[in-house]
Amino acid sequence: MRVLAEVHARDGYPVNWPDQPGEWLSRGPLLGSWVAELEGDLVGHVSLSQGGEDDMAPTLWSERNGSTRGMTAVVSRLFVAPQARGHRIGALLIGQAVEEARRRGLHPVLDVVASDTAAAALYERLGWELMATVEQQWSPHQTVAIRCYAAPS
């Protein structure tokens, strides 16, 4: 939770700080979760799950590929401690999640808040395809632009 709090303070991720951060990290039909260490310190996290109702990328990918949402796995909850950036930790964590998705015969997808330009740049450097940018109503007073990506085939 400490690393997540550091990332939230510096980068605003997650956009809305969860009431129960531990539950937020493990929420949903989880297929796996990984952490990264650097010199003995916990410095990053990523999860892989089945898509929830609010995840747009599984729907977009399945419509484009004549498949079902169940054929996707959502990469989420990716963060790297600010002091540990520049060591390819984000790329390594994504790679682990992608490897697990493919091992299960699923296609990796993800949603990212459009204002998180650093994350979007990382996904694009790794060859992820931007499928669309959509708006989601997160609450009566909060509409958020979301970029939906699919991993390269």
Side-chain angles (χ1 to χ4, degrees):
M1 272 22 104
R2 178 188 52 77
V3 175
L4 182 60
E6 290 173 12
V7 170
H8 179 71
R10 174 159 179 197
D11 304 323
Y13 176 83
V15 171
N16 299 322
W17 183 255
D19 291 334
Q20 298 179 324
E23 181 181 308
W24 180 81
L25 284 172
S26 60
R27 175 185 343 169
L30 218 51
L31 300 174
S33 241
W34 299 267
V35 296
E37 290 183 5
L38 182 64
E39 299 175 2
D41 293 324
L42 183 67
V43 295
H45 176 274
V46 71
S47 291
L48 184 70
S49 63
Q50 291 291 321
E53 319 179 342
D54 296 337
D55 296 310
M56 295 300 299
T59 300
L60 290 169
W61 186 86
S62 63
E63 288 172 354
R64 286 183 172 200
N65 291 281
S67 187
T68 65
R69 286 175 53 95
M71 293 305 299
T72 64
V74 178
V75 177
S76 62
R77 312 297 191 249
L78 173 67
F79 57 92
V80 175
Q83 70 276 11
R85 294 179 184 164
H87 295 278
R88 297 196 34 84
I89 293 167
L92 291 169
L93 286 166
I94 291 169
Q96 183 65 47
V98 166
E99 183 180 312
E100 178 62 17
R102 292 200 168 128
R103 188 186 70 72
R104 292 172 177 260
L106 303 173
H107 193 87
V109 297
L110 60 83
D111 296 336
V112 63
V113 176
S115 60
D116 192 346
T117 56
L122 171 63
Y123 306 136
E124 291 173 12
R125 273 194 313 273
L126 295 174
W128 287 62
E129 175 196 358
L130 175 62
M131 295 182 289
T133 301
V134 299
E135 290 201 344
Q136 282 186 329
Q137 191 76 37
W138 283 8
S139 75
H141 307 289
Q142 186 180 31
T143 301
V144 181
I146 303 293
R147 296 171 62 100
C148 303
Y149 286 92
S153 296

